[in-house]
Coordinates of all heavy atoms in Angstrom, one line a residue:
T1 N -9.6 23.0 -15.2 CA -10.5 23.3 -14.2 C -10.1 22.5 -12.9 O -9.4 21.6 -13.0 CB -11.9 22.9 -14.6 OG1 -12.0 21.5 -14.7 CG2 -12.3 23.6 -15.9
D2 N -10.7 22.9 -11.8 CA -10.5 22.2 -10.6 C -10.9 20.8 -10.6 O -10.3 19.9 -10.0 CB -11.2 23.0 -9.4 CG -10.5 24.3 -9.1 OD1 -9.4 24.5 -9.4 OD2 -11.2 25.1 -8.4
R3 N -12.0 20.5 -11.3 CA -12.5 19.1 -11.4 C -11.5 18.2 -12.1 O -11.3 17.1 -11.7 CB -13.9 19.1 -12.1 CG -15.0 19.5 -11.2 CD -16.3 19.4 -12.0 NE -17.4 19.9 -11.1 CZ -18.3 19.1 -10.7 NH1 -18.4 17.9 -11.2 NH2 -19.3 19.5 -9.9
S4 N -10.9 18.7 -13.1 CA -9.9 17.8 -13.9 C -8.7 17.6 -13.0 O -8.1 16.5 -13.1 CB -9.6 18.4 -15.2 OG -8.9 19.7 -15.0
I5 N -8.3 18.6 -12.2 CA -7.2 18.4 -11.3 C -7.5 17.4 -10.3 O -6.7 16.4 -10.0 CB -6.7 19.7 -10.7 CG1 -6.1 20.6 -11.8 CG2 -5.7 19.5 -9.6 CD1 -5.8 22.0 -11.3
D6 N -8.7 17.5 -9.7 CA -9.1 16.5 -8.7 C -9.2 15.1 -9.2 O -8.7 14.2 -8.6 CB -10.5 16.9 -8.1 CG -10.5 18.1 -7.2 OD1 -9.4 18.5 -6.8 OD2 -11.6 18.6 -7.0
R7 N -9.7 15.0 -10.4 CA -9.8 13.6 -11.1 C -8.4 13.1 -11.3 O -8.1 11.9 -11.1 CB -10.5 13.8 -12.4 CG -10.9 12.5 -13.0 CD -11.8 12.6 -14.2 NE -13.0 13.5 -14.0 CZ -13.2 14.6 -14.7 NH1 -12.5 14.9 -15.7 NH2 -14.3 15.3 -14.5
E8 N -7.4 14.0 -11.8 CA -6.1 13.6 -12.0 C -5.4 13.1 -10.7 O -4.7 12.1 -10.7 CB -5.3 14.8 -12.6 CG -4.2 14.4 -13.5 CD -3.6 15.6 -14.2 OE1 -4.3 16.1 -15.2 OE2 -2.6 16.1 -13.8
E9 N -5.6 13.9 -9.6 CA -5.0 13.5 -8.3 C -5.6 12.2 -7.8 O -4.9 11.4 -7.3 CB -5.3 14.6 -7.3 CG -4.4 15.8 -7.5 CD -4.8 17.0 -6.6 OE1 -5.6 16.8 -5.7 OE2 -4.2 18.0 -6.7
R10 N -6.9 12.0 -8.0 CA -7.5 10.7 -7.6 C -6.9 9.5 -8.4 O -6.6 8.5 -7.8 CB -9.0 10.8 -7.8 CG -9.8 11.1 -6.6 CD -11.3 10.8 -6.7 NE -11.8 11.1 -8.0 CZ -12.4 12.3 -8.3 NH1 -12.4 13.2 -7.4 NH2 -12.9 12.5 -9.5
C11 N -6.7 9.7 -9.7 CA -6.2 8.7 -10.5 C -4.8 8.4 -10.1 O -4.4 7.2 -10.0 CB -6.2 9.2 -12.0 SG -5.7 7.9 -13.1
F12 N -4.0 9.4 -9.8 CA -2.6 9.2 -9.3 C -2.6 8.4 -8.0 O -1.8 7.5 -7.8 CB -1.8 10.5 -9.2 CG -0.4 10.3 -8.8 CD1 0.5 9.8 -9.6 CD2 0.0 10.8 -7.5 CE1 1.8 9.6 -9.2 CE2 1.3 10.6 -7.1 CZ 2.2 10.1 -8.0
S13 N -3.5 8.8 -7.1 CA -3.6 8.1 -5.8 C -4.0 6.7 -6.0 O -3.5 5.8 -5.3 CB -4.7 8.8 -4.9 OG -4.3 10.1 -4.6
F14 N -4.8 6.3 -6.9 CA -5.2 5.0 -7.2 C -4.0 4.2 -7.7 O -3.9 3.0 -7.4 CB -6.4 4.9 -8.1 CG -7.7 5.4 -7.5 CD1 -8.7 5.9 -8.2 CD2 -7.9 5.3 -6.1 CE1 -9.9 6.4 -7.7 CE2 -9.1 5.8 -5.5 CZ -10.0 6.3 -6.3
V15 N -3.2 4.8 -8.6 CA -2.0 4.1 -9.1 C -1.1 3.8 -7.9 O -0.5 2.7 -7.8 CB -1.3 5.0 -10.1 CG1 0.1 4.5 -10.5 CG2 -2.1 5.2 -11.4
Q16 N -0.9 4.8 -7.0 CA -0.1 4.5 -5.8 C -0.7 3.4 -5.0 O 0.1 2.6 -4.5 CB 0.0 5.8 -5.0 CG 0.9 6.9 -5.6 CD 1.0 8.1 -4.7 OE1 0.0 8.6 -4.2 NE2 2.1 8.6 -4.6
L17 N -2.0 3.4 -4.8 CA -2.6 2.3 -4.0 C -2.4 1.0 -4.6 O -2.2 0.0 -4.0 CB -4.1 2.6 -3.8 CG -4.5 3.5 -2.7 CD1 -6.0 3.8 -2.8 CD2 -4.2 2.9 -1.3
D18 N -2.5 0.9 -6.0 CA -2.2 -0.3 -6.7 C -0.8 -0.8 -6.4 O -0.6 -2.0 -6.3 CB -2.5 -0.2 -8.2 CG -4.0 -0.4 -8.5 OD1 -4.7 -1.1 -7.7 OD2 -4.5 0.3 -9.4
L19 N 0.2 0.1 -6.5 CA 1.6 -0.3 -6.2 C 1.7 -0.8 -4.8 O 2.4 -1.8 -4.6 CB 2.5 0.9 -6.4 CG 2.7 1.4 -7.8 CD1 3.4 2.7 -7.9 CD2 3.4 0.3 -8.7
I20 N 1.1 -0.2 -3.8 CA 1.1 -0.6 -2.4 C 0.4 -2.0 -2.3 O 0.9 -2.9 -1.6 CB 0.5 0.4 -1.5 CG1 1.3 1.7 -1.5 CG2 0.3 -0.1 -0.1 CD1 0.7 2.9 -0.9
L21 N -0.8 -2.1 -2.9 CA -1.5 -3.4 -2.9 C -0.6 -4.5 -3.5 O -0.6 -5.7 -3.0 CB -2.8 -3.3 -3.6 CG -3.9 -2.6 -2.9 CD1 -5.0 -2.2 -3.9 CD2 -4.4 -3.4 -1.7
N22 N 0.1 -4.2 -4.6 CA 0.9 -5.3 -5.2 C 2.0 -5.7 -4.3 O 2.5 -6.9 -4.3 CB 1.5 -4.7 -6.5 CG 0.5 -4.6 -7.6 OD1 -0.5 -5.3 -7.6 ND2 0.8 -3.8 -8.6
L23 N 2.5 -4.9 -3.4 CA 3.6 -5.2 -2.5 C 3.1 -5.8 -1.2 O 3.5 -6.9 -0.8 CB 4.5 -4.0 -2.2 CG 5.7 -4.3 -1.2 CD1 6.7 -5.2 -1.9 CD2 6.3 -2.9 -0.9
L24 N 2.1 -5.1 -0.6 CA 1.7 -5.5 0.8 C 0.5 -6.5 0.7 O 0.2 -7.1 1.8 CB 1.2 -4.3 1.6 CG 2.3 -3.2 1.8 CD1 1.7 -2.1 2.7 CD2 3.5 -3.8 2.5
G25 N -0.1 -6.6 -0.4 CA -1.3 -7.5 -0.5 C -2.5 -6.7 0.0 O -2.5 -5.6 0.5
T26 N -3.7 -7.4 -0.1 CA -4.9 -6.8 0.3 C -5.0 -6.8 1.9 O -4.8 -7.9 2.5 CB -6.1 -7.5 -0.3 OG1 -6.0 -7.6 -1.7 CG2 -7.4 -6.9 0.1
P27 N -5.3 -5.7 2.5 CA -5.4 -5.6 3.9 C -6.7 -6.2 4.4 O -7.7 -6.3 3.7 CB -5.3 -4.1 4.3 CG -5.9 -3.5 3.1 CD -5.5 -4.4 1.9
Q28 N -6.8 -6.6 5.7 CA -8.0 -6.9 6.4 C -8.7 -5.6 6.6 O -8.1 -4.5 6.7 CB -7.7 -7.6 7.7 CG -7.0 -8.9 7.6 CD -7.8 -10.0 6.9 OE1 -9.0 -10.1 7.1 NE2 -7.2 -10.7 6.0
V29 N -10.0 -5.6 6.7 CA -10.9 -4.4 6.9 C -10.4 -3.7 8.1 O -10.3 -2.4 8.1 CB -12.4 -4.8 6.9 CG1 -13.2 -3.6 7.3 CG2 -12.8 -5.4 5.6
D30 N -10.1 -4.4 9.2 CA -9.7 -3.7 10.5 C -8.4 -3.0 10.4 O -8.0 -2.2 11.2 CB -9.8 -4.7 11.7 CG -8.7 -5.8 11.6 OD1 -8.4 -6.2 10.4 OD2 -8.3 -6.3 12.6
E31 N -7.6 -3.3 9.3 CA -6.3 -2.7 9.2 C -6.4 -1.3 8.4 O -5.4 -0.6 8.4 CB -5.3 -3.6 8.4 CG -5.0 -4.9 9.1 CD -4.1 -5.7 8.2 OE1 -4.5 -6.1 7.1 OE2 -3.0 -6.0 8.6
I32 N -7.5 -1.0 7.9 CA -7.7 0.2 7.1 C -8.8 1.1 7.7 O -9.3 2.0 7.0 CB -7.9 -0.1 5.6 CG1 -9.1 -0.9 5.4 CG2 -6.6 -0.6 5.0 CD1 -9.5 -1.1 3.9
T33 N -9.1 0.9 8.9 CA -10.2 1.7 9.5 C -9.8 3.2 9.5 O -10.7 4.1 9.5 CB -10.5 1.3 11.0 OG1 -9.3 1.4 11.7 CG2 -11.1 -0.1 11.0
S34 N -8.6 3.6 9.6 CA -8.2 5.0 9.6 C -8.0 5.6 8.2 O -7.8 6.8 8.1 CB -6.9 5.2 10.4 OG -5.8 4.5 9.8
A35 N -8.2 4.8 7.2 CA -8.0 5.3 5.8 C -9.3 6.1 5.4 O -10.4 5.9 6.0 CB -7.9 4.1 4.8
C36 N -9.1 7.0 4.5 CA -10.3 7.8 4.0 C -11.3 6.9 3.3 O -10.9 5.8 2.8 CB -9.8 9.0 3.2 SG -9.2 8.5 1.5
D37 N -12.5 7.3 3.2 CA -13.6 6.5 2.6 C -13.3 6.1 1.2 O -13.5 5.0 0.8 CB -14.9 7.2 2.7 CG -15.4 7.3 4.2 OD1 -15.0 6.5 5.0 OD2 -16.3 8.1 4.4
G38 N -12.7 7.1 0.4 CA -12.4 6.8 -1.0 C -11.4 5.7 -1.1 O -11.5 4.8 -2.0
A39 N -10.3 5.7 -0.3 CA -9.3 4.7 -0.3 C -9.8 3.4 0.1 O -9.6 2.3 -0.5 CB -8.1 5.1 0.6
K40 N -10.6 3.4 1.2 CA -11.2 2.1 1.6 C -12.1 1.5 0.5 O -12.0 0.3 0.3 CB -12.1 2.3 2.9 CG -11.4 2.4 4.2 CD -12.3 2.4 5.3 CE -12.3 3.7 6.0 NZ -13.0 3.8 7.2
S41 N -13.0 2.3 -0.1 CA -13.8 1.8 -1.1 C -13.0 1.2 -2.3 O -13.3 0.1 -2.8 CB -14.7 2.9 -1.7 OG -15.6 3.3 -0.7
Y42 N -12.0 1.9 -2.7 CA -11.1 1.5 -3.8 C -10.5 0.1 -3.4 O -10.5 -0.8 -4.2 CB -10.1 2.5 -4.1 CG -9.3 2.1 -5.3 CD1 -9.8 2.2 -6.6 CD2 -8.0 1.6 -5.1 CE1 -9.0 1.8 -7.7 CE2 -7.2 1.3 -6.2 CZ -7.7 1.4 -7.5 OH -7.0 1.0 -8.6
I43 N -9.9 0.1 -2.3 CA -9.1 -1.1 -1.9 C -10.1 -2.3 -1.8 O -9.8 -3.4 -2.3 CB -8.4 -0.9 -0.5 CG1 -7.3 0.1 -0.7 CG2 -8.0 -2.2 0.1 CD1 -6.7 0.6 0.6
L44 N -11.3 -2.1 -1.2 CA -12.2 -3.2 -1.0 C -12.9 -3.6 -2.4 O -13.4 -4.7 -2.5 CB -13.3 -2.8 0.0 CG -12.7 -2.6 1.4 CD1 -13.8 -2.1 2.3 CD2 -12.1 -3.9 2.0
S45 N -12.8 -2.8 -3.4 CA -13.4 -3.1 -4.7 C -12.4 -3.9 -5.5 O -12.9 -4.5 -6.5 CB -13.8 -1.8 -5.4 OG -12.6 -1.2 -5.9
K46 N -11.2 -4.0 -5.1 CA -10.2 -4.7 -5.9 C -10.2 -6.2 -5.6 O -10.6 -6.6 -4.5 CB -8.8 -4.1 -5.7 CG -8.7 -2.6 -6.0 CD -9.1 -2.2 -7.3 CE -8.0 -2.5 -8.3 NZ -8.3 -2.0 -9.7
T47 N -9.7 -7.0 -6.6 CA -9.5 -8.4 -6.4 C -8.4 -8.6 -5.3 O -7.4 -7.9 -5.2 CB -9.0 -9.0 -7.7 OG1 -9.9 -8.7 -8.7 CG2 -8.8 -10.5 -7.5
W48 N -8.7 -9.6 -4.4 CA -7.7 -9.9 -3.3 C -6.3 -10.2 -3.9 O -6.2 -10.9 -4.9 CB -8.2 -11.1 -2.6 CG -7.4 -11.4 -1.4 CD1 -7.5 -10.9 -0.1 CD2 -6.3 -12.3 -1.3 NE1 -6.5 -11.4 0.7 CE2 -5.7 -12.3 0.0 CE3 -5.6 -13.1 -2.2 CZ2 -4.6 -13.0 0.4 CZ3 -4.5 -13.9 -1.8 CH2 -4.0 -13.8 -0.5
R49 N -5.3 -9.7 -3.2 CA -3.9 -9.9 -3.6 C -3.1 -10.4 -2.4 O -3.3 -9.9 -1.3 CB -3.3 -8.6 -4.2 CG -4.0 -8.0 -5.3 CD -3.4 -6.7 -5.7 NE -4.3 -5.9 -6.5 CZ -4.1 -4.8 -7.1 NH1 -2.9 -4.3 -7.0 NH2 -5.0 -4.1 -7.7
S50 N -2.2 -11.3 -2.7 CA -1.4 -11.8 -1.6 C -0.1 -10.8 -1.5 O 0.2 -10.2 -2.5 CB -0.9 -13.2 -1.8 OG -0.1 -13.3 -3.0
A51 N 0.5 -10.8 -0.3 CA 1.6 -9.9 -0.1 C 2.8 -10.5 -0.9 O 3.0 -11.7 -1.1 CB 2.0 -9.9 1.3
K52 N 3.6 -9.6 -1.4 CA 4.8 -10.0 -2.2 C 6.1 -9.3 -1.5 O 6.9 -8.7 -2.2 CB 4.7 -9.6 -3.6 CG 3.5 -10.1 -4.3 CD 3.8 -11.1 -5.3 CE 2.7 -11.6 -6.2 NZ 1.4 -11.9 -5.6
L53 N 6.2 -9.4 -0.2 CA 7.2 -8.7 0.5 C 8.6 -9.2 0.2 O 9.6 -8.5 0.3 CB 7.0 -8.9 2.0 CG 5.7 -8.1 2.5 CD1 5.4 -8.5 4.0 CD2 5.8 -6.7 2.3
N54 N 8.7 -10.5 -0.4 CA 10.0 -10.9 -0.8 C 10.6 -10.1 -1.9 O 11.8 -10.1 -2.2 CB 10.0 -12.4 -1.2 CG 10.0 -13.3 0.1 OD1 10.4 -12.9 1.1 ND2 9.4 -14.5 -0.1
N55 N 9.7 -9.4 -2.6 CA 10.2 -8.5 -3.7 C 11.1 -7.4 -3.2 O 11.9 -6.8 -3.9 CB 9.0 -7.9 -4.5 CG 8.3 -8.9 -5.3 OD1 8.7 -10.0 -5.5 ND2 7.1 -8.5 -5.8
L56 N 11.0 -7.1 -1.9 CA 11.9 -6.1 -1.3 C 13.4 -6.5 -1.4 O 14.3 -5.7 -1.6 CB 11.6 -5.9 0.2 CG 10.2 -5.2 0.4 CD1 9.9 -5.3 1.9 CD2 10.2 -3.8 -0.1
Y57 N 13.7 -7.8 -1.5 CA 15.0 -8.3 -1.6 C 15.6 -8.0 -3.0 O 16.8 -7.8 -3.1 CB 15.1 -9.8 -1.3 CG 15.0 -10.2 0.1 CD1 13.8 -10.6 0.6 CD2 16.1 -10.0 1.0 CE1 13.7 -10.9 2.0 CE2 16.0 -10.4 2.3 CZ 14.8 -10.8 2.8 OH 14.6 -11.1 4.2
S58 N 14.8 -7.9 -4.0 CA 15.3 -7.6 -5.3 C 15.4 -6.2 -5.7 O 15.8 -5.8 -6.8 CB 14.4 -8.4 -6.3 OG 13.1 -7.8 -6.3
M59 N 15.0 -5.3 -4.8 CA 15.1 -3.9 -5.1 C 16.5 -3.3 -5.0 O 16.7 -2.2 -5.5 CB 14.1 -3.1 -4.1 CG 12.7 -3.4 -4.4 SD 11.6 -2.4 -3.4 CE 10.1 -2.8 -4.1
S60 N 17.4 -4.0 -4.4 CA 18.8 -3.5 -4.4 C 19.7 -4.8 -4.2 O 19.3 -5.7 -3.5 CB 19.0 -2.6 -3.2 OG 20.4 -2.3 -3.0
K61 N 20.8 -4.7 -4.9 CA 21.7 -5.9 -4.8 C 22.4 -5.9 -3.4 O 23.0 -6.9 -3.0 CB 22.8 -5.9 -5.9 CG 23.7 -4.7 -5.9 CD 24.7 -4.8 -7.0 CE 25.7 -3.6 -6.9 NZ 26.8 -3.8 -7.7
N62 N 22.4 -4.8 -2.7 CA 23.1 -4.6 -1.4 C 22.1 -4.7 -0.2 O 22.5 -4.5 0.9 CB 23.8 -3.3 -1.3 CG 24.9 -3.2 -2.4 OD1 25.6 -4.1 -2.7 ND2 25.0 -2.0 -3.0
V63 N 20.9 -5.1 -0.5 CA 19.9 -5.1 0.6 C 20.2 -6.3 1.6 O 20.6 -7.4 1.2 CB 18.4 -5.2 0.1 CG1 18.2 -6.6 -0.5 CG2 17.5 -4.9 1.2
T64 N 20.1 -6.0 2.9 CA 20.4 -7.0 3.9 C 19.0 -7.6 4.4 O 18.0 -6.9 4.3 CB 21.2 -6.5 5.1 OG1 20.4 -5.4 5.7 CG2 22.5 -5.9 4.6
H65 N 19.1 -8.7 5.0 CA 17.9 -9.3 5.6 C 17.3 -8.3 6.7 O 16.1 -8.2 6.8 CB 18.2 -10.6 6.2 CG 17.1 -11.3 6.9 ND1 16.0 -11.8 6.2 CD2 16.8 -11.5 8.2 CE1 15.1 -12.3 7.1 NE2 15.6 -12.1 8.3
E66 N 18.2 -7.7 7.5 CA 17.8 -6.8 8.5 C 17.1 -5.6 8.0 O 16.1 -5.1 8.5 CB 19.0 -6.4 9.4 CG 19.6 -7.5 10.2 CD 20.5 -8.4 9.4 OE1 20.9 -8.1 8.3 OE2 20.8 -9.5 9.9
A67 N 17.6 -5.1 6.8 CA 16.9 -3.9 6.2 C 15.5 -4.3 5.7 O 14.6 -3.5 5.9 CB 17.8 -3.4 5.0
V68 N 15.4 -5.5 5.1 CA 14.1 -5.9 4.6 C 13.1 -6.1 5.8 O 12.0 -5.7 5.8 CB 14.2 -7.2 3.8 CG1 12.8 -7.8 3.5 CG2 14.9 -6.9 2.5
Q69 N 13.6 -6.7 6.9 CA 12.8 -6.9 8.1 C 12.3 -5.5 8.7 O 11.2 -5.4 9.1 CB 13.5 -7.7 9.1 CG 13.7 -9.1 8.7 CD 12.4 -9.8 8.3 OE1 11.5 -9.9 9.1 NE2 12.4 -10.4 7.1
L70 N 13.2 -4.5 8.6 CA 12.8 -3.2 9.1 C 11.8 -2.6 8.2 O 10.8 -2.1 8.7 CB 14.1 -2.3 9.1 CG 13.8 -0.8 9.5 CD1 13.2 -0.7 10.9 CD2 15.1 0.0 9.3
L71 N 11.9 -2.7 6.9 CA 10.9 -2.2 6.0 C 9.6 -2.9 6.2 O 8.5 -2.2 6.1 CB 11.4 -2.4 4.5 CG 12.5 -1.4 4.0 CD1 13.0 -1.9 2.7 CD2 11.9 0.0 3.9
I72 N 9.6 -4.2 6.4 CA 8.3 -4.9 6.6 C 7.6 -4.4 7.8 O 6.4 -4.2 7.8 CB 8.6 -6.4 6.7 CG1 9.0 -6.9 5.3 CG2 7.4 -7.1 7.2 CD1 9.5 -8.4 5.3
R73 N 8.4 -4.1 8.9 CA 7.7 -3.5 10.1 C 7.2 -2.1 9.9 O 6.3 -1.7 10.6 CB 8.7 -3.6 11.3 CG 9.0 -5.0 11.8 CD 9.6 -5.1 13.1 NE 10.8 -4.3 13.2 CZ 12.1 -4.8 13.1 NH1 12.3 -6.0 12.8 NH2 13.1 -4.0 13.3
M74 N 7.8 -1.4 9.0 CA 7.4 0.0 8.7 C 6.3 0.0 7.7 O 5.4 0.9 7.7 CB 8.6 0.8 8.2 CG 9.7 1.0 9.2 SD 11.2 1.6 8.6 CE 10.7 3.2 7.9
L75 N 6.2 -0.9 6.8 CA 5.2 -1.0 5.7 C 4.0 -1.8 6.1 O 3.8 -2.9 5.6 CB 5.8 -1.5 4.4 CG 6.9 -0.7 3.8 CD1 7.6 -1.4 2.6 CD2 6.4 0.7 3.4
T76 N 3.3 -1.4 7.1 CA 2.1 -2.1 7.6 C 0.9 -1.2 7.3 O 1.0 0.0 7.5 CB 2.3 -2.3 9.1 OG1 3.5 -3.0 9.3 CG2 1.2 -3.0 9.7
W77 N -0.2 -1.8 6.9 CA -1.4 -1.1 6.6 C -1.9 -0.3 7.8 O -2.2 0.9 7.7 CB -2.5 -2.0 6.2 CG -2.4 -2.5 4.8 CD1 -2.0 -3.8 4.4 CD2 -2.6 -1.7 3.6 NE1 -2.0 -3.8 3.0 CE2 -2.4 -2.6 2.5 CE3 -3.0 -0.4 3.4 CZ2 -2.5 -2.2 1.2 CZ3 -3.1 0.0 2.1 CH2 -2.9 -0.9 1.0
D78 N -1.9 -0.9 9.0 CA -2.4 -0.2 10.2 C -1.3 0.7 10.8 O -0.3 0.2 11.2 CB -2.9 -1.2 11.2 CG -3.6 -0.6 12.4 OD1 -3.5 0.6 12.6 OD2 -4.3 -1.4 13.1
P79 N -1.5 2.0 10.7 CA -0.5 3.0 11.2 C -0.2 2.8 12.7 O 0.9 3.1 13.1 CB -1.1 4.3 10.9 CG -2.5 4.2 10.7 CD -2.7 2.7 10.2
R80 N -1.1 2.2 13.4 CA -0.9 2.0 14.9 C 0.1 0.9 15.1 O 0.8 0.8 16.1 CB -2.1 1.7 15.6 CG -3.2 2.8 15.6 CD -4.5 2.4 16.0 NE -5.0 1.3 15.1 CZ -6.1 0.7 15.1 NH1 -7.0 1.0 16.1 NH2 -6.5 -0.2 14.2
K81 N 0.3 0.0 14.1 CA 1.2 -1.1 14.2 C 2.6 -0.9 13.5 O 3.4 -1.8 13.6 CB 0.6 -2.4 13.6 CG -0.7 -2.8 14.3 CD -1.3 -4.0 13.7 CE -2.6 -4.4 14.4 NZ -3.2 -5.5 13.7
R82 N 2.7 0.3 12.9 CA 4.0 0.6 12.3 C 5.1 0.9 13.3 O 4.8 1.4 14.3 CB 3.9 1.8 11.4 CG 3.0 1.5 10.1 CD 3.0 2.7 9.2 NE 1.9 2.5 8.3 CZ 1.1 3.4 7.8 NH1 1.3 4.6 8.2 NH2 0.2 3.1 7.0
M83 N 6.3 0.5 12.9 CA 7.4 0.8 13.7 C 7.7 2.3 13.6 O 7.6 2.9 12.6 CB 8.6 0.0 13.2 CG 9.9 0.4 13.9 SD 11.1 -0.8 13.4 CE 12.0 -1.0 14.9

């Protein structure tokens, strides 16, 4: 049914949000003002997490410092602040 698909999509979205939270850490409220209400509620209901951006260095043996710095500027909660 449509309801089970919606529930499945929501669950998948929450898994994605958890992966993002694990990397970027918990955002400040003003960084997620443009997020949908469901995402905001989910993020704010979770335990605070610190950013683990240094994990980007371990994602490839060939990653350069410049590449990681570029990713960090692109992976920002607030879309207005993204490169």
Side-chain angles (χ1 to χ4, degrees):
T1 67
D2 287 341
R3 284 181 178 242
S4 65
I5 292 171
D6 288 344
R7 193 174 308 124
E8 208 171 285
E9 287 176 3
R10 263 196 318 272
C11 186
F12 182 71
S13 295
F14 292 150
V15 169
Q16 288 180 317
L17 277 173
D18 278 328
L19 291 171
I20 295 166
L21 285 165
N22 288 338
L23 181 65
L24 299 182
T26 304
Q28 298 294 319
V29 174
D30 66 331
E31 294 178 299
I32 56 172
T33 56
S34 64
C36 71
D37 290 338
K40 278 190 250 189
S41 295
Y42 182 76
I43 290 168
L44 296 174
S45 74
K46 303 304 278 182
T47 304
W48 184 88
R49 301 177 203 186
S50 62
K52 306 254 187 313
L53 294 172
N54 283 335
N55 289 348
L56 292 171
Y57 286 99
S58 64
M59 292 185 169
S60 169
K61 65 179 184 170
N62 298 319
V63 70
T64 63
H65 178 72
E66 292 79 15
V68 169
Q69 292 305 307
L70 175 62
L71 284 170
I72 289 170
R73 289 194 309 263
M74 294 168 63
L75 296 173
T76 301
W77 282 107
D78 187 341
R80 298 167 297 181
K81 296 179 182 176
R82 289 182 195 143
M83 174 175 219

